[in-house]
Amino acid sequence: MTKPPIYILAIESSCDDTAAAVLENNKVLSNIVARQSIHEEYGGVVPELASRAHQQNIVPVIDVALKKANIDKSQLSGIAFTQGPGLMGSLLVGSSFAKSMALALNIPLVAVHHMHAHVLAHFIEEEGFDKPEFPFLAMTISGGHTQIIKVKSFFDMEVIGETTDDAVGEAFDKSAKILGLPYPGGPLIDKFAAEGNPKAFQFTKPKVDGLNFSFSGLKTQILYFIQKNVAQNPNFIQENKNDICASIQYTIIQILMDKLKLAVAETGINQIAIGGGVSANSGIRATLKEGEQKYGWKTFIPKFEYTTDNAAMIGIVGYHKYLENQFEDASVVSKARIEF
Ligand code: KG4
Ligand code: ZN
C-alpha cells in the first residue's frame, strides 16, 4: 500500500521577504514570495518596516500558496516555520502565525534553521536537478552568511569555515552602494558585470588563514579606489560601470573559489553545493560549473527560485523533520541567532 502524501505548509519571514510554500512530500506545489521594495530607498533592510510589512503580507501570501497548490488547510499534515537566525521582529510574525495555525488545525509544528534550509534546498525534487550524496560540502553565501559546511546527514552539519566580518552578500551590496546603486545591489553588480571586463581593475584578495573569509577589507579598498578615481574624473563610475562591476565580482569569485579548493583538499570531499542569495550570481554559477572539468568536482547549483530567501527550502527541511517526528510545542521561541 502506498503511504498517503505528507503536505507541509512552510513559512519564511526571517528578513525582508514574506514567503509561503506548500510541499507534497519532497515536491513543491507552490512557492510564493512577497518582496518588500520599501527598503530600497533606505539602502538596506529597516527592521521595523520589515516586521510591519510581514504583518500585512503574511495572510495573503499563505492564502495564495494554498490556493496555487490546490490544497485546503484541512489537508495539511504539518506547518514548518523559520525559527532563526534573522531579525527578531520579522521572525516573530512567521512563528506566531505558524504556532496559531498549527494549534487551530491540531497538526504538528516544525521549527527550521534558516541556514540548514539554504543547504538542504538541494533535496527538493526537481526535474533536471540531481541531489548531492552525504557527505558533501555546502557553501552558503547570502546577505548574512558566508560559510563552508561539511554536511554529513540531513541533521548533522559542521561549519568548517566562515567569514570573520562581512558576509559576501554585504560585500556585493556595500560595493554597489559605493557605486550609487540601490539596495540590494548584488543582482545589479551581476547584471553590469556581464558586459564588463573582469580584469579591467585589480583588487587584492585578503589573506585569511584556513577556510575563513574576510570581506571588509575589500569594501574599504573599493571605496578608496572609487574616491580616488572620482576625484580625478567625476564621470568615472558612469564611464566604467560595467568594468568596475566585473572586476569586483571577479575578485569576490576568486576569494570564494580559493577557499573551496582548500576545503576540497582538506576534507577529500569533492561534491560541492552552493546556497543562499548570492548563489543566484551568474558569474559564481558559471565558475563553479567550470570546476567540474577543471578539478573533477561534482557541483550542485540550486534552481534560481530556491537561491534567495524562499519558503520551499523551509518546507523541504520541514518534510525531513516531519519524517523523524522532530516536532515543537507552542512554547518554541524565535531566535535571532542560533548555533548551527
Ligand atoms: O539569502 P538571501 O536572500 O537573504 C539572506 O539570508 O541574506 O540573500 C540576499 C543577498 C543580498 O546580499 C543580495 O544582494 C544577494 O543575496 N544577491 C546577489 C544576487 N542575487 C541576490 N548577489 C550577487 N549576485 C546576484 N545575482
Ligand atoms: Zn537566506
Side-chain angles (χ1 to χ4, degrees), residues 108-111 154-155 317-318 320-328:
L109 178 67
V110 184
F154 282 115
F155 309 113
V317 184
H320 285 283
K321 283 193 148 187
Y322 187 96
L323 292 179
E324 305 264 323
N325 290 326
Q326 294 188 33
F327 303 139
E328 306 294 334

Side-chain angles (χ1 to χ4, degrees), residues 114 118 142 309 313:
H114 181 88
H118 274 303
S142 74
D309 288 349
M313 67 180 194

Side-chain angles (χ1 to χ4, degrees), residues 169 172-173 176 182 184-191 249 281:
F172 272 105
D173 296 338
L188 293 168
I189 294 203
D190 190 1
K191 185 175 133 206
Q249 183 169 301
N281 184 272

Side-chain angles (χ1 to χ4, degrees), residues 11 13 18 20 53-63 93-94 97-98:
I11 301 169
S13 69
T18 319
H54 281 308
Q55 280 198 316
Q56 282 168 357
N57 293 341
I58 194 154
V59 173
V61 164
I62 290 174
D63 215 36
V93 178
F97 199 94

Side-chain angles (χ1 to χ4, degrees), residues 133-210:
E133 279 168 23
F134 300 113
F136 64 93
L137 295 176
M139 187 169 70
T140 52
I141 40 180
S142 74
H145 288 82
T146 307
Q147 294 176 318
I148 300 181
I149 299 148
K150 192 167 158 185
V151 189
K152 299 169 210 170
S153 74
F154 282 115
F155 309 113
D156 186 4
M157 305 185 193
E158 183 192 346
V159 178
I160 56 173
E162 62 190 330
T163 183
T164 53
D165 43 53
D166 287 353
V168 61
E170 284 179 282
F172 272 105
D173 296 338
K174 289 179 178 174
S175 303
K177 197 171 178 183
I178 295 169
L179 301 179
L181 300 171
Y183 176 87
L188 293 168
I189 294 203
D190 190 1
K191 185 175 133 206
F192 296 125
E195 308 292 324
N197 171 9
K199 307 258 172 84
F201 305 105
Q202 256 90 48
F203 300 107
T204 50
K205 292 186 281 182
K207 289 192 179 58
V208 191
D209 283 345

Side-chain angles (χ1 to χ4, degrees), residues 176-256:
K177 197 171 178 183
I178 295 169
L179 301 179
L181 300 171
Y183 176 87
L188 293 168
I189 294 203
D190 190 1
K191 185 175 133 206
F192 296 125
E195 308 292 324
N197 171 9
K199 307 258 172 84
F201 305 105
Q202 256 90 48
F203 300 107
T204 50
K205 292 186 281 182
K207 289 192 179 58
V208 191
D209 283 345
L211 297 175
N212 286 339
F213 299 90
S214 166
F215 288 101
S216 69
L218 179 66
K219 172 195 63 194
T220 314
Q221 210 188 130
I222 292 166
L223 177 67
Y224 291 159
F225 165 81
I226 295 293
Q227 282 175 344
K228 193 181 98 201
N229 282 286
V230 168
Q232 286 160 8
N233 169 12
N235 295 325
F236 178 74
I237 297 177
Q238 290 87 317
E239 287 168 11
N240 298 281
K241 189 151 71 189
N242 295 345
D243 284 348
I244 301 169
C245 289
S247 303
I248 293 171
Q249 183 169 301
Y250 177 77
T251 310
I252 292 175
I253 295 174
Q254 295 313 306
I255 295 171
L256 297 176

